[in-house]
């Protein structure tokens, strides 16, 4: 306990926090009384500081509000208002085994910044920029910013209105799980991160949900990235120079591009739902990847590829594909081919989107792609198993609604066309 009559640090008025920390003993728990405290403060001994959600730390200096230099430090239940901008943060860490939990941070710089800091636990925090708008993310800091850090666990945080909600560079064995990231440039941004997990996160209204670059042996699973479309280059998940990784059971819905892959090789993409995106998946110079049991529903363009013909596609569901099941096993004997003709046509004139999946457009696609090696799904599914999708804990209802909606739209267009011909 911090020595006081009540066992708590008194704070009847705004008081500097540094002297309170300096007076504490190593290993002590400082329980701050409700009130306002002044930063900045540097923690050079292993202590715990608890605020029970009622202690506010205000920092108007050019330094980070709280700087942690002692291994094993724990911060919890604090409200931090950090007015400093640039390369400063509400909490800055240069130590091992630090715990940051139940912190609410408003910042003009970064929310949390970790450098050479391994084995941290960062959970149940709420981080946002003072400027609650998605505009001009380049002028803001990152929500959680890690560099040269390993074995960290980042879970169940809520982050909004930052440059990148979670940014990690040059690390390994990282766990990013159960976070909600929104209204930022990139929801989750990984660079030079290996042997890690990105699981069960939710991203909405970012420019890109997960930006994954120069990564290997990493699992990206169970995430839901919706409505990433506010920028011409928006994607649900972007994979650049990603190797030997697993992209599984993700929901990519309402994005400009569901999954964008470039220079990506030897990855497994399985059991993902790609729903109502403009482009379901786009592959550029990406080879030797396996795509299996993914569902493409109500996308304007299911798939696009360039110099990526050696990928293995099998058992995916393409809702606009007219297959032929002669053996009644639910698998088409006709392959589904990824052809770029339609994309090239609408790039020159967007009005041609009206002819999406029309017989004439399909004929022209076949004719003008003759001799071009295209990626093929040699065993496309004839129908989507809605119950299986729901059982996997994904978005069975959304898939069902989208599939039914697409069928009704196709039927309506057919009625309009036939009606016009008859008259």
């Amino acid at each position: 306990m911090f020595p006081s009559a009540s066992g708590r640090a008194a704070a009847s008025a705004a008081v500097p926090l540094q002297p309170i920390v300096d007076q504490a003993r190593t290993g002590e728990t400082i329980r701050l009384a409700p009130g306002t405290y002044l930063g900045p403060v540097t923690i050079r001994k292993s202590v715990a500081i608890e605020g029970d959600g009622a202690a506010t730390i205000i920092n108007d200096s050019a330094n980070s509000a709280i700087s942690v230099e002692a291994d094993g430090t724990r911060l919890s239940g604090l409200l931090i208002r950090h007015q400093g901008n640039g390369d400063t943060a509400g909490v800055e860490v240069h130590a091992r085994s630090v715990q940051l939990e139940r912190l609410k941070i408003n910042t003009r710089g970064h929310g949390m910044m970790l450098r050479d800091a391994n084995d941290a636990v960062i959970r149940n925090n709420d981080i946002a920029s003072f400027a609650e708008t998605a505009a001009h993310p380049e002028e803001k800091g990152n929500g959680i910013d890690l560099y040269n850090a390993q074995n960290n666990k980042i879970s169940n945080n809520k982050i909004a209105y930052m440059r990148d909600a979670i940014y990690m560079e040059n690390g390994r064995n990282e766990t990013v799980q159960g976070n909600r990231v929104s209204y930022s440039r990139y929801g989750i941004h990984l660079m030079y991160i290996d042997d890690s997990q990105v699981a069960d996160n939710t991203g909405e209204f970012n420019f890109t949900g997960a930006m994954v670059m120069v990564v290997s042996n990493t699992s990206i699973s169970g995430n839901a990235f919706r409505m990433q479309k506010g920028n011409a280059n928006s994607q649900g998940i972007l994979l650049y120079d990603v190797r030997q990784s697993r992209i599984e059971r993700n929901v990519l819905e309402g994005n400009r591009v569901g999954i964008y892959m470039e220079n990506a090789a030897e990855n497994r993409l399985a059991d993902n739902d790609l729903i109502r995106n403009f482009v379901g998946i786009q592959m550029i110079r990406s080879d030797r990847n396996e795509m299996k049991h993914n569902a493409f529903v109500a996308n304007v363009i299911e798939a696009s590829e360039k110099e990526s013909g050696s990928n293995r596609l099998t058992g995916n569901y393409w809702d606009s594909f007219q297959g032929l099941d002669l053996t009644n096993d639910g698998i088409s004997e006709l392959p589904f081919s990824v052809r770029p003709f339609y994309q090239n046509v609408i790039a020159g004139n967007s009005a041609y989107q009206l002819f999406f999946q029309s017989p004439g457009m399909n004929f022209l696609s076949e004719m003008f792609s003759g001799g071009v090696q295209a990626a093929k799904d040699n065993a496309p599914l004839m129908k989507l198993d809605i119950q299986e999708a729901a059982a996997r804990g994904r978005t069975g209802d959304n898939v069902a609604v989208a599939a039914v909606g697409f069928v009704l739209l196709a039927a309506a267009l057919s009625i309009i066309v036939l009606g016009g011909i008859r008259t």
Side-chain angles (χ1 to χ4, degrees), residues 62-99:
N63 300 312
S64 294
I66 302 177
S67 297
V68 179
E69 299 179 1
D71 295 348
T73 296
R74 180 171 64 87
L75 306 177
S76 69
L78 303 173
L79 308 178
I80 301 172
R81 298 178 61 83
H82 174 58
Q83 298 287 348
N85 53 23
D87 204 24
T88 63
V91 179
E92 180 176 348
V93 178
H94 300 269
R96 298 174 58 95
S97 303
V98 171
Q99 296 183 44

Side-chain angles (χ1 to χ4, degrees), residues 82-90 107-111 129 140-143 162:
H82 174 58
Q83 298 287 348
N85 53 23
D87 204 24
T88 63
T107 179
R108 298 193 189 281
H110 300 294
S129 168
K140 305 172 184 177
N142 298 323
M162 304 300 298

